[in-house]
Amino acid sequence: MTQTYPKKRLSIIIEAPFLNRLLDLLDGLDVPGYTALPALAGRGKSRSWRRDALSSDAGRMVQVLIVLDQGKVPAVLQEIRKVLDQQIGIVTLSDVEVLRPELF
Amino acid sequence: MTQTYPKKRLSIIIEAPFLNRLLDLLDGLDVPGYTALPALAGRGKSRSWRRDALSSDAGRMVQVLIVLDQGKVPAVLQEIRKVLDQQIGIVTLSDVEVLRPELF
Amino acid sequence: MTQTYPKKRLSIIIEAPFLNRLLDLLDGLDVPGYTALPALAGRGKSRSWRRDALSSDAGRMVQVLIVLDQGKVPAVLQEIRKVLDQQIGIVTLSDVEVLRPELF
Amino acid sequence: MDWALAIQNLISPPVLFFALGLVAALARSDLSIPEAIAKALSLYLMLAIGFKGGVAASENGLTVDLLLVIGAAGLLSASIPILAFWLLRTTTRVSQIDAAAIAAHYGSISIVTFIAGTAALDAAGIAFPGIMVAAAAAMEAPAIAIALFLAHRGQAGTPQTPKAPWREVALNGSIVLLIGAFIIGMVTGQKGYSDIEPFIADPFKGVLCLFLLDMGLVAGRELRQVRKTLTPALLAFGLYMPPIAGVIGGVTGALIGLPDGGIALLAILSGSASYIAVPAAMRLALPQAKPALYLTLSLAITFPFNLTIGIPFYIALAGWLS
Amino acid sequence: MDWALAIQNLISPPVLFFALGLVAALARSDLSIPEAIAKALSLYLMLAIGFKGGVAASENGLTVDLLLVIGAAGLLSASIPILAFWLLRTTTRVSQIDAAAIAAHYGSISIVTFIAGTAALDAAGIAFPGIMVAAAAAMEAPAIAIALFLAHRGQAGTPQTPKAPWREVALNGSIVLLIGAFIIGMVTGQKGYSDIEPFIADPFKGVLCLFLLDMGLVAGRELRQVRKTLTPALLAFGLYMPPIAGVIGGVTGALIGLPDGGIALLAILSGSASYIAVPAAMRLALPQAKPALYLTLSLAITFPFNLTIGIPFYIALAGWLS
Amino acid sequence: MDWALAIQNLISPPVLFFALGLVAALARSDLSIPEAIAKALSLYLMLAIGFKGGVAASENGLTVDLLLVIGAAGLLSASIPILAFWLLRTTTRVSQIDAAAIAAHYGSISIVTFIAGTAALDAAGIAFPGIMVAAAAAMEAPAIAIALFLAHRGQAGTPQTPKAPWREVALNGSIVLLIGAFIIGMVTGQKGYSDIEPFIADPFKGVLCLFLLDMGLVAGRELRQVRKTLTPALLAFGLYMPPIAGVIGGVTGALIGLPDGGIALLAILSGSASYIAVPAAMRLALPQAKPALYLTLSLAITFPFNLTIGIPFYIALAGWLS
Ligand SMILES: Nc1ncnc2c1ncn2[C@@H]1O[C@H](COP(=O)(O)O)[C@@H](O)[C@H]1O
Ligand SMILES: Nc1ncnc2c1ncn2[C@@H]1O[C@H](COP(=O)(O)O)[C@@H](O)[C@H]1O
Ligand SMILES: Nc1ncnc2c1ncn2[C@@H]1O[C@H](COP(=O)(O)O)[C@@H](O)[C@H]1O
Ligand code: NA
Ligand code: NA
Ligand code: NA
């Protein structure tokens, strides 16, 4: 049987205009990598939006996925929290198993 | 250390022509928000599909993510189930931790 | 209350040029279905990339999601491992609950 | 049948680019047109054909009675599915619901087939009335309504039938754009036309080539799955239904006094089958029906048939009838 | 006001396609232009208008003093927000931060309104100096700077204000393309122009129609939310602010000696409000400000107003002033 | 070297838009062309250049022997990588696998460089044979095959080498479209051409400008990472390899009796390096090779070199050789 190892999966749903700043922040932290996925549509406390019905990047969301070691999570969360506190942004953390633990 | 709080992550993979109806349904339920992501390609019991090789929205899938409180899950699942039972749709529920529990 | 059943969610982040080969591989395995999602941007050990700033499919990543029964995981992981070992690819496994267990 | 016309159609750039796409997809090439581009090409064609139709209608006045044409088109769109349903139920083994879903596609129309038809008429120097665009717009809803009736007929109290997709069908983007552009063309007339001619008229045929390349790729991918999904009886249906419906459409056109080009276009509309709007509507209204059946039939069998053989046949038919 | 001009503007294809989009979105049609296509159309318009401006500037020489025009434009862009902020704070109940964010939008410009204005001038046979494109480019940063100042004025030590978005504003893609294409047009002049004329000049008006169809769809979706988000006082602001700012811009243009067409364009720029670059900048710089307010106002109220009534008014104004 | 020609090339709109993109990306502007649009632009260019080549070939007859040209092109594509591999292994410290992967890129071609070359020839009034398009299509597979051989040479039994990407290379979308459009052009000839000329010929140069803007943005982003990835020896290779390969190609063209324009284009093809098809193929076939090396070299060094200095040099070379 293939052995797997526990890691964490951090997901940040954030507004597109912030994406560059968030990625720059992550580049400065001890994060093994990340992948950003586009979103199509959404709703939150405020407006509902559709990608094809926006005049601007404002309001469009992007999901950033980070697979990382549990040990690195607190430092990363703390920095992200600083940036996101006044901004829109949904941060979730969950458990995952990976194949190659040395990557993260 | 940054405190986190347990919530649920509901994912619904659904056909694009149903998206509007699903989102209208969610808007009528006690759901704090949602984000829809586009899909590129897929296969299930029936046909395999590629986004760039479809003549129509029929067959193209979309993933809707909802982060919400455990307490709201049963009511939401029940309503979604009604709509999805005869339709294509993959519903999964998983555990996540969030930073700001009051949002959900 | 709506009953749910435990399954596994397998996520494979892989380079776009490999996607077809991966999907062909999955089609040959006992996998109930899959959905591929596009990615926008990312960084790993090597280069950082943006979808809109690539000359070629090389470097662009895609996420493939597979919801499947725990019992099918080892065989699938073993085959995927063979293909991915020399390639870029982030594989994660996590627990989910589903509504209709017979689908997976 | 005018063989010169038929051959001229077969070796015209649009048909050849369609064939290129078909061959590339059958050979499993990774050639593909991004979805956003395919959508844009289709919006462009819809805008251009609607606008040009409106300008033409504003020019000649409404050369034929608009309401008569729309009425005839709606009637065709409601009656062809009944015939198709009956043929499917008697010659194939598809279920009632699948037969109804397929029938809806054949009652409705393929706007690209229509556009390819106008291009072929242009090439053959045959004029056609601008209001045929309105006929195209009228041939969707009736087909869907009849098909839903056929699907549920005799089934006592189907539990939880999904909400009928009337809102989605009526406000379908393509139809809204087609009709909207038609009206704008009528309002602005020749002056508006000359403003945007270099955008909507000059590159039109080239854009059609690119779009048909995409349609070929899509149809070819579908065609690869034909053997898995279609029985010979179904396949035959995809080939004989278009000319039957085309003849019905052409005769109707002749009866209401359409000119040559109008008869041909009404035959083309009747003979063509939808693969954009109706599949999406069927997913909403008849989710139990199998998309593999109706998509493959309409896209991989009927569409290529019409594009290559059907169009010259319908044009020849119009010549005989008028 | 020249009523013939006003009506001619209202029934021109671009305005009618905008209206079609508006109506389709209000009726909740699923008609939509893919995001990638809308971005491409906007890049195209920016490239074309910049390039043509550059070629024109290279032709006539810099007919008016480039620096004078840019200086006046920058000044307008810095002072209009102050007026807007004061009007908002005295006539509506929006917070200081929201008022500042809205003010930034009205100090900045809508390039599509500008382009529609050039099309209307063309149709009316009124020439305009190529360097007006440079004025358009100069009217973004000052508005944002002033607005940030207004937002934080009097608030001792706001903790953790986000980094100001200067890098993002200065290197904003649209501005870079507009200025870059302007310079390329200046360098290559008439020879370069004739090389790419069939791409940037001939289809221009048609592409504008398609883009305005999209803008109509976007504005219509916004308009559906107006009752939820805007008070009557705010709605009124969206309607009276443009002509006020337009008059200020027009008078400034006359004072610095611009010709007829230049006055009209400076009035159009002053009267228009941003809905692309400034919203994104506000999300970065003033995340607490409510996007629902500034987007709805600028997109659903001011933009349609300018497109239909504003532009002919600003052109008529220029006639009176010169 | 004809300096007037060189300067004319440098200040032509396509090259200036490339420079604009390069500068914008170096300055970290957020200007970007959506991926779907960039793909569509590239499909358009491929379709147009293929079709026009086919029409030209159908006109003049096959003015030079098609098989001779294809044979020579294939031979060049197979031998240039051997030279490149040897140069890389003797002058730089890249591994055997990286050297082979880079060599594959230089044996293959950049179709945009080719297209820019045809535009420069057009501007200089030099004719070229339509079949050069076929030469372009023939210069991919041999380079990849040789490179795979070089990568594994002398390595006993590499375990688990991935399946060679022959299917992907042969059915590569760009090549299929290029060849398909060429054949369609041959079949429909001048008649088909006049049908779609307003689409494929008139806006061609303008579309090329937009595409080169995108290429500049992509190359500029790559260039920002040059210092991290390239040693001076590698950087030098990216600059001296193109003219060496270009001379080899030009001499070959002269030997097989190509006319002036044909010699120039064969030199351009030989001197150019792939950054679309070969990188994807290398990811499949040699996943251990570092993309940072081959992409940066080909895209950020060789491509700008060829576009600015290379093309006028190859054209001048053709003048000397013929
Ligand atoms: N509970 C949620 N689950 C998933 N996505 C959410 C949720 N809440 C908000 N979002 C996303 O975040 C965006 C902004 O949310 P808000 O700031 O609450 O308006 C929404 O448009 C959604 O795309
Ligand atoms: N087990 C699965 N995991 C992930 N996605 C799936 C799975 N099964 C189905 N899907 C998605 O749902 C679509 C329709 O599935 P089906 O109705 O089974 O044909 C597929 O094309 C996939 O995109
Ligand atoms: N830890 C991670 N979490 C999420 N995505 C990752 C991670 N590491 C790598 N990736 C993705 O995989 C791609 C290739 O990674 P690498 O091979 O490490 O350069 C990156 O560009 C990311 O899109
Ligand atoms: Na029909
Ligand atoms: Na303004
Ligand atoms: Na080469």
Side-chain angles (χ1 to χ4, degrees):
Chain A
M1 220 198 109
T2 316
Q3 166 89 48
T4 61
Y5 307 82
K7 297 285 167 191
K8 288 286 177 180
R9 174 183 181 278
L10 187 60
S11 151
I12 306 167
I13 300 183
I14 198 183
E15 249 187 304
F18 286 104
L19 181 64
N20 281 329
R21 290 190 176 187
L22 176 65
L23 299 190
D24 285 352
L25 177 75
L26 293 177
D27 286 342
L29 300 177
D30 182 16
V31 156
Y34 49 75
T35 300
L37 310 177
L40 263 189
R43 183 179 62 76
K45 294 174 313 302
S46 42
R47 301 152 51 78
S48 96
W49 63 276
R50 292 293 163 108
R51 185 171 66 180
D52 291 344
L54 289 174
S55 65
S56 152
D57 269 359
R60 190 162 58 80
M61 309 299 287
V62 174
Q63 182 185 28
V64 178
L65 297 180
I66 308 168
V67 180
L68 79 180
D69 195 80
Q70 165 72 59
K72 297 175 179 168
V73 169
V76 171
L77 273 193
Q78 203 175 344
E79 287 303 313
I80 288 176
R81 165 146 230 177
K82 274 191 212 152
V83 177
L84 289 193
D85 247 12
Q86 348 176 21
Q87 250 99 84
I88 289 173
I90 308 282
V91 180
T92 62
L93 193 67
S94 56
D95 293 314
V96 293
E97 301 275 317
V98 304
L99 289 181
R100 293 178 287 177
E102 71 283 3
L103 290 182
F104 310 92
Chain B
M1 221 199 110
T2 316
Q3 167 89 50
T4 59
Y5 307 83
K7 297 284 166 193
K8 288 286 177 180
R9 174 183 182 278
L10 186 61
S11 151
I12 306 167
I13 300 183
I14 198 184
E15 248 186 306
F18 286 104
L19 182 64
N20 280 330
R21 291 189 175 187
L22 176 65
L23 299 190
D24 286 351
L25 178 75
L26 293 176
D27 286 342
L29 300 177
D30 182 16
V31 156
Y34 50 75
T35 301
L37 309 177
L40 263 189
R43 181 179 63 77
K45 295 173 311 304
S46 42
R47 300 151 52 80
S48 97
W49 64 276
R50 292 293 163 107
R51 185 171 66 180
D52 291 345
L54 289 174
S55 65
S56 153
D57 269 359
R60 188 164 58 81
M61 309 299 286
V62 174
Q63 182 185 29
V64 178
L65 297 179
I66 308 168
V67 181
L68 79 179
D69 194 80
Q70 165 73 60
K72 297 175 179 169
V73 169
V76 171
L77 273 193
Q78 202 175 347
E79 287 304 312
I80 288 176
R81 171 148 225 175
K82 274 190 212 155
V83 178
L84 290 193
D85 247 12
Q86 350 178 20
Q87 253 95 89
I88 289 173
I90 307 282
V91 180
T92 63
L93 193 66
S94 56
D95 293 315
V96 293
E97 301 275 316
V98 305
L99 289 181
R100 293 179 288 176
E102 71 282 4
L103 289 182
F104 311 91
Chain C
M1 221 199 111
T2 316
Q3 167 89 49
T4 60
Y5 306 82
K7 298 283 165 192
K8 288 287 179 180
R9 174 184 182 276
L10 186 61
S11 151
I12 307 167
I13 300 182
I14 198 183
E15 247 186 307
F18 286 105
L19 181 64
N20 280 330
R21 290 190 176 188
L22 176 64
L23 299 189
D24 285 352
L25 178 74
L26 293 177
D27 286 341
L29 299 177
D30 183 16
V31 155
Y34 49 75
T35 301
L37 310 176
L40 263 188
R43 181 179 63 76
K45 296 173 311 302
S46 42
R47 301 152 51 80
S48 96
W49 64 275
R50 292 294 164 107
R51 185 172 64 179
D52 292 344
L54 289 174
S55 64
S56 154
D57 270 358
R60 189 164 58 81
M61 309 299 286
V62 174
Q63 183 186 27
V64 178
L65 297 181
I66 308 168
V67 180
L68 78 179
D69 194 81
Q70 166 72 58
K72 298 176 179 169
V73 168
V76 171
L77 273 193
Q78 202 175 344
E79 286 304 312
I80 288 177
R81 168 146 229 175
K82 274 190 212 154
V83 177
L84 290 192
D85 247 11
Q86 350 177 19
Q87 251 98 88
I88 288 174
I90 308 282
V91 180
T92 63
L93 193 66
S94 56
D95 292 315
V96 293
E97 300 275 316
V98 304
L99 290 181
R100 292 179 287 177
E102 72 281 4
L103 290 182
F104 311 93
Chain D
M1 185 151 177
D2 183 343
W3 293 106
L5 185 75
I7 284 160
Q8 178 190 317
N9 180 59
L10 278 179
I11 64 164
S12 69
V15 174
L16 289 173
F17 275 104
F18 177 78
L20 173 60
L22 210 67
V23 169
L26 285 174
R28 309 194 87 217
S29 163
D30 71 350
L31 180 59
S32 74
I33 315 272
E35 181 208 12
I37 303 301
K39 278 208 175 147
L41 295 177
S42 136
L43 290 174
Y44 168 87
L45 293 174
M46 222 73 86
L47 189 159
I49 196 87
F51 190 86
K52 284 190 280 188
V55 171
S58 86
E59 292 274 278
N60 324 355
L62 299 176
T63 44
V64 278
D65 193 343
L66 182 62
L67 288 181
L68 190 65
V69 171
I70 290 180
L75 208 69
L76 284 166
S77 163
S79 45
I80 291 170
I82 299 177
L83 175 61
F85 182 79
W86 179 79
L87 285 168
L88 285 163
R89 293 293 277 169
T90 49
T91 68
T92 76
R93 294 200 201 148
V94 297
S95 70
Q96 178 176 353
I97 291 217
D98 281 327
I102 297 173
H105 289 72
Y106 283 83
S108 179
I109 60 128
S110 149
I111 196 76
V112 184
T113 311
F114 176 78
I115 290 174
T118 63
L121 287 172
D122 274 343
I126 304 174
F128 51 89
I131 57 157
M132 293 314 294
V133 166
M139 290 183 77
E140 192 143 285
I144 294 172
I146 292 290
L148 294 190
F149 168 75
L150 293 171
H152 298 305
R153 200 178 45 134
Q155 299 189 326
T158 34
Q160 285 202 322
T161 313
K163 216 171 20 159
W166 295 126
R167 138 155 245 105
E168 282 90 349
V169 168
L171 294 171
N172 171 268
S174 309
I175 300 283
V176 167
L177 181 53
L178 192 68
I179 298 180
F182 182 84
I183 296 173
I184 295 177
M186 294 252 305
V187 171
T188 62
Q190 195 58 45
K191 197 188 158 317
Y193 183 70
S194 59
D195 268 6
I196 63 174
E197 187 173 359
F199 178 65
I200 65 161
D202 300 347
F204 187 79
K205 212 160 181 183
V207 174
L208 180 61
C209 289
L210 193 51
F211 189 70
L212 283 173
L213 174 66
D214 184 52
M215 290 302 310
L217 290 165
V218 172
R221 198 168 195 275
E222 218 61 49
L223 207 52
R224 272 177 14 219
Q225 318 195 1
V226 154
R227 251 172 312 169
K228 267 188 283 168
T229 49
L230 296 190
T231 60
L234 266 175
L235 209 150
F237 174 85
L239 294 173
Y240 67 67
M241 189 66 218
I244 295 179
V247 168
I248 298 176
V251 169
T252 309
L255 287 179
I256 64 171
L258 284 178
D260 218 10
I263 295 175
L265 286 180
L266 200 58
I268 289 172
L269 287 171
S270 302
S272 72
S274 171
Y275 43 77
I276 301 184
V278 178
M282 288 300 113
R283 291 306 299 143
L284 287 173
L286 298 177
Q288 319 92 305
K290 295 190 205 67
L293 293 184
Y294 50 71
L295 270 176
T296 315
L297 256 187
S298 150
L299 200 53
I301 308 296
T302 296
F303 181 65
F305 170 82
N306 277 329
L307 203 62
T308 50
I309 304 176
I311 288 178
F313 168 69
Y314 304 130
I315 295 179
L317 175 76
W320 300 325
L321 288 171
S322 70
Chain E
M1 184 148 176
D2 184 341
W3 294 107
L5 185 74
I7 284 160
Q8 179 190 317
N9 180 58
L10 278 178
I11 62 163
S12 69
V15 174
L16 290 174
F17 275 105
F18 177 77
L20 173 58
L22 210 65
V23 169
L26 286 174
R28 312 194 86 217
S29 163
D30 71 350
L31 181 59
S32 75
I33 315 273
E35 182 207 12
I37 302 301
K39 278 209 176 147
L41 294 176
S42 138
L43 290 174
Y44 168 86
L45 292 173
M46 222 73 85
L47 188 158
I49 196 87
F51 190 85
K52 285 191 278 188
V55 171
S58 85
E59 292 274 278
N60 323 355
L62 300 176
T63 45
V64 280
D65 193 344
L66 183 62
L67 287 181
L68 190 63
V69 172
I70 289 179
L75 209 68
L76 283 165
S77 163
S79 44
I80 290 171
I82 300 177
L83 175 60
F85 182 79
W86 179 80
L87 285 167
L88 285 164
R89 292 292 278 169
T90 50
T91 68
T92 76
R93 294 199 202 150
V94 298
S95 70
Q96 178 176 352
I97 290 215
D98 281 327
I102 298 173
H105 289 72
Y106 283 82
S108 180
I109 61 127
S110 148
I111 196 76
V112 183
T113 311
F114 175 78
I115 289 174
T118 63
L121 287 173
D122 275 342
I126 305 173
F128 51 90
I131 57 156
M132 294 312 295
V133 167
M139 291 182 78
E140 193 142 285
I144 292 173
I146 293 290
L148 294 189
F149 170 75
L150 293 170
H152 298 305
R153 199 179 47 134
Q155 298 189 327
T158 35
Q160 286 204 319
T161 314
K163 217 169 21 158
W166 294 127
R167 140 156 240 106
E168 282 91 349
V169 169
L171 294 171
N172 172 268
S174 308
I175 301 282
V176 168
L177 181 53
L178 194 68
I179 299 180
F182 182 85
I183 296 173
I184 295 177
M186 293 252 308
V187 171
T188 62
Q190 195 57 45
K191 197 189 158 317
Y193 183 71
S194 59
D195 268 5
I196 63 174
E197 187 174 0
F199 178 66
I200 65 160
D202 300 347
F204 187 79
K205 213 162 181 183
V207 175
L208 181 60
C209 288
L210 193 51
F211 189 69
L212 283 173
L213 173 65
D214 184 52
M215 289 301 309
L217 291 165
V218 173
R221 198 167 195 274
E222 220 57 53
L223 206 52
R224 270 173 19 215
Q225 318 194 1
V226 154
R227 251 172 312 169
K228 268 187 282 168
T229 49
L230 296 190
T231 61
L234 266 175
L235 207 149
F237 174 85
L239 294 172
Y240 66 67
M241 190 66 218
I244 296 180
V247 169
I248 299 177
V251 170
T252 309
L255 287 178
I256 63 171
L258 283 177
D260 217 10
I263 295 175
L265 287 180
L266 201 58
I268 288 172
L269 288 171
S270 302
S272 73
S274 170
Y275 43 77
I276 300 183
V278 177
M282 288 301 112
R283 291 306 298 143
L284 287 173
L286 297 176
Q288 319 92 305
K290 295 190 203 67
L293 293 184
Y294 50 72
L295 270 177
T296 315
L297 257 186
S298 151
L299 200 52
I301 308 296
T302 296
F303 180 65
F305 170 83
N306 276 330
L307 203 61
T308 52
I309 304 175
I311 287 177
F313 168 70
Y314 304 130
I315 294 179
L317 176 76
W320 301 327
L321 288 172
S322 71
Chain F
M1 184 147 174
D2 183 342
W3 293 106
L5 184 75
I7 285 161
Q8 179 190 318
N9 180 58
L10 277 179
I11 64 163
S12 69
V15 174
L16 289 174
F17 275 104
F18 177 78
L20 174 58
L22 209 66
V23 169
L26 286 174
R28 310 194 87 215
S29 163
D30 70 349
L31 181 59
S32 73
I33 316 272
E35 181 208 13
I37 304 302
K39 278 208 175 148
L41 296 176
S42 136
L43 290 173
Y44 169 86
L45 293 173
M46 222 74 85
L47 188 159
I49 197 85
F51 190 85
K52 285 190 279 188
V55 172
S58 84
E59 292 275 279
N60 323 356
L62 300 176
T63 45
V64 279
D65 194 343
L66 182 63
L67 288 181
L68 190 65
V69 171
I70 288 180
L75 208 69
L76 283 166
S77 163
S79 45
I80 290 170
I82 299 176
L83 175 61
F85 182 79
W86 179 79
L87 285 167
L88 284 164
R89 293 292 279 169
T90 50
T91 68
T92 76
R93 294 200 202 149
V94 298
S95 70
Q96 178 176 353
I97 290 217
D98 281 326
I102 298 174
H105 288 73
Y106 283 82
S108 179
I109 60 128
S110 148
I111 195 77
V112 183
T113 310
F114 176 77
I115 289 174
T118 63
L121 286 172
D122 273 342
I126 304 173
F128 50 91
I131 57 157
M132 293 313 294
V133 167
M139 291 181 78
E140 192 142 285
I144 293 173
I146 292 291
L148 294 190
F149 168 76
L150 293 170
H152 299 304
R153 199 178 48 135
Q155 299 190 325
T158 34
Q160 286 204 320
T161 314
K163 217 171 16 160
W166 294 126
R167 141 156 240 103
E168 283 90 349
V169 168
L171 294 172
N172 173 268
S174 309
I175 300 283
V176 168
L177 182 53
L178 193 68
I179 298 180
F182 182 85
I183 295 173
I184 295 178
M186 293 251 308
V187 171
T188 63
Q190 195 57 45
K191 196 189 159 318
Y193 183 70
S194 59
D195 268 5
I196 63 174
E197 186 174 1
F199 178 66
I200 65 161
D202 299 346
F204 188 78
K205 213 160 181 182
V207 175
L208 180 61
C209 288
L210 193 51
F211 189 70
L212 283 173
L213 174 66
D214 183 53
M215 290 302 308
L217 290 165
V218 172
R221 197 166 196 274
E222 219 60 50
L223 206 52
R224 270 172 22 215
Q225 318 194 3
V226 154
R227 249 171 313 168
K228 268 188 282 167
T229 49
L230 297 191
T231 60
L234 266 175
L235 209 149
F237 174 85
L239 294 172
Y240 65 68
M241 190 67 218
I244 295 180
V247 169
I248 298 176
V251 170
T252 309
L255 287 178
I256 63 171
L258 283 177
D260 218 9
I263 295 175
L265 286 180
L266 200 59
I268 289 173
L269 287 172
S270 303
S272 73
S274 170
Y275 43 78
I276 301 184
V278 177
M282 289 300 114
R283 293 303 300 141
L284 287 172
L286 297 177
Q288 320 90 306
K290 296 191 203 67
L293 294 184
Y294 51 71
L295 270 177
T296 316
L297 257 188
S298 150
L299 200 52
I301 308 297
T302 296
F303 180 65
F305 170 83
N306 277 330
L307 204 61
T308 51
I309 304 176
I311 287 177
F313 168 69
Y314 305 129
I315 294 179
L317 175 76
W320 300 327
L321 288 171
S322 69

